[in-house]
Amino acid sequence: MTVHVACVVEGHGEVAALPILLRRIHQAVAPSTPLHVARPVRVPKTKLVRPDGLERAVRLAARLCPRPCALLALLDADDDCPAVLGPQLLARAEAVLRDIPTGVVLANREFEAWFLAGLSSLGGKRGLPQDVSHVDQPESIRDAKGFLGGLMDSPRSYSPTADQPAFTATFDMNAARATSDSFDKCCREVERLLRSPGKSLPSG
């Protein structure tokens, strides 16, 4: 049975990057089970957090995905606390998707903080120095995009639409899970959702 996943994201880079991330996690969990990731529905965070903003987005994403399916919404936490905003958004999404397993993940502070958590694995790629080193407390960096851009060879600068999918395809996820609590949360949520729609993936 094919596992179908619908997605809601806030950024242009995540439209391409999140399906790549889902496929990598799926490959690690159950590579023999077919996976279909619908093109993510993109809505700016400012709209998603407004009353009925997230609800409209998840309804649309669910309509675009074959059943049975699961849904994942991924946002940057920015200055919000993921442990507070995440459960609030999840409750809102679950209230309108009663028959679809749903997850909400907030990257603390940005999706790019997950790259910083596995930064040494990206050395020599897309303008980063070959000997780029580990970053302490990557989730405490306020502007992870700018931090990455500052490491890149001049005149290169970080581009979410170009670099985010490329880094997502290559960064060391195990290293990132060990350093980033929000990325570990993301992986656990994805693993749960992949098993939910048709109970088709092994539970062990």
Side-chain angles (χ1 to χ4, degrees):
M1 177 184 293
T2 299
V3 177
H4 299 276
V5 182
C7 304
V8 173
V9 299
E10 64 160 310
H12 291 281
E14 285 93 340
V15 171
L18 181 55
I20 294 170
L21 180 61
L22 292 177
R23 294 186 188 104
R24 289 193 66 192
I25 297 172
H26 173 262
Q27 185 68 22
V29 174
S32 62
T33 303
L35 173 69
H36 169 258
V37 181
R39 180 175 175 80
V41 171
R42 190 191 71 83
V43 180
K45 182 182 177 183
T46 53
K47 293 185 178 180
L48 288 173
V49 298
R50 293 175 188 167
D52 204 39
L54 179 66
E55 291 82 352
R56 288 175 179 269
V58 298
R59 286 193 194 100
L60 174 58
R63 286 199 299 269
L64 298 176
C65 194
R67 304 293 178 91
C69 73
L71 182 138
L72 177 68
L74 173 65
L75 296 79
D76 289 347
D78 299 314
D79 292 328
D80 293 308
C81 175
V84 174
L85 182 58
Q88 293 173 352
L89 295 177
L90 178 61
R92 289 172 52 187
E94 289 182 328
V96 297
L97 298 180
R98 299 181 185 276
D99 62 334
I100 297 177
T102 303
V104 173
V105 172
L106 271 69
N108 189 19
R109 301 178 174 255
E110 298 176 73
F111 190 109
E112 285 77 8
W114 296 346
F115 300 149
L116 299 184
L119 187 59
S120 60
S121 63
L122 296 174
K125 297 179 175 64
R126 304 192 68 81
L128 288 174
Q130 188 69 46
D131 60 349
V132 68
S133 60
H134 171 76
V135 175
D136 291 327
Q137 299 182 323
E139 294 180 318
S140 69
I141 295 175
R142 187 181 182 89
D143 180 13
K145 291 181 177 67
F147 188 95
L148 281 168
L151 294 174
M152 290 177 165
D153 296 334
S154 181
R156 280 277 283 131
S157 61
Y158 179 79
S159 167
T161 55
D163 295 321
Q164 192 170 344
F167 285 154
T168 299
T170 57
F171 81 117
D172 186 332
M173 295 194 302
N174 289 329
R177 291 188 75 164
T179 311
S180 165
D181 289 341
S182 68
F183 184 64
D184 182 62
K185 160 75 171 177
C186 177
C187 291
R188 287 186 282 110
E189 276 296 281
V190 171
E191 290 165 7
R192 177 182 69 84
L193 293 173
L194 289 176
R195 294 190 175 99
S196 298
K199 305 296 183 184
S200 56
L201 302 193
S203 59

